[in-house]
Amino acid sequence: MHEELQAKGYLGHYQRVKMAVAPLRRGLPLDEPRERPPSPREAARWITTHPHRRNLHINDHLPRLLEHCPELRRTHDLVRRFATMLDNHDATPLPDWLDDLAGSGLAPLVGLAGALREDQQPSHRESAPPTTPVSTKAASPTLSCKNV
């Protein structure tokens, strides 16, 4: 078989052909090719990209990834809820969202919830009158979340 393949242009080694044909000789089915799982960076991009901006490949693979990993499903749900608040320019669900973030059981998200709650609390420095003039532009940043 290797010689026939070589006559047709195959440049691979005999051993490779032998290993590929061995399961067939034993009457076993060939292994189906396995799909490479996404890298952590790819998974994060899939989760943070707005569903309407994802390509068909991602829309096909993301549900299987989320089904396989409950932690990613929780993270995905929290990210989508936050993105909805940004899209709607409505922060009224924020306290409940922070409660869910803190109760997610995922250490990085629990830490994020704690940090966001700390930022919500007025600090001693913020309540003291400013000693230097403050620009209103610096005090009111705008958010632009086109990828979320």
Side-chain angles (χ1 to χ4, degrees):
M1 183 179 280
H2 181 256
E3 290 174 4
E4 289 178 31
L5 292 171
Q6 277 184 322
K8 294 183 180 189
Y10 177 69
L11 300 176
H13 193 271
Y14 169 81
Q15 191 66 24
R16 217 158 159 82
V17 175
K18 179 181 173 184
M19 295 300 291
V21 175
L24 294 174
R25 290 188 177 181
R26 291 190 302 255
L28 300 173
L30 289 176
D31 288 339
E32 291 189 21
R34 290 187 213 142
E35 184 180 330
R36 179 186 65 80
S39 70
R41 182 175 292 194
E42 287 174 313
R45 189 177 320 115
W46 292 3
I47 288 170
T48 57
T49 300
H50 192 283
H52 297 301
R53 292 180 178 248
R54 294 183 198 137
N55 67 35
L56 294 176
H57 168 78
I58 294 170
N59 284 333
D60 182 43
H61 289 75
L62 182 60
R64 289 188 298 177
L65 178 67
L66 298 178
E67 182 180 310
H68 180 71
C69 184
E71 292 87 359
L72 282 179
R73 175 170 296 288
R74 277 192 300 258
T75 303
H76 176 265
D77 294 342
L78 288 163
V79 167
R80 297 291 9 121
R81 286 175 48 204
F82 186 75
T84 301
M85 285 187 276
L86 292 176
D87 289 344
N88 296 336
H89 303 282
D90 180 16
T92 49
L94 187 61
D96 291 336
W97 181 82
L98 283 171
D99 291 341
D100 292 344
L101 195 66
S104 69
L106 303 170
L109 299 182
V110 172
L112 175 62
L116 290 172
R117 284 203 171 117
E118 278 181 29
D119 285 349
Q120 286 182 324
Q121 302 300 321
S123 69
H124 177 66
R125 261 188 278 147
E126 290 174 358
S127 60
T131 56
T132 58
V134 178
S135 166
T136 56
K137 283 187 178 179
S140 58
T142 58
L143 292 177
S144 173
C145 298
K146 296 190 189 251
N147 290 336
V148 179

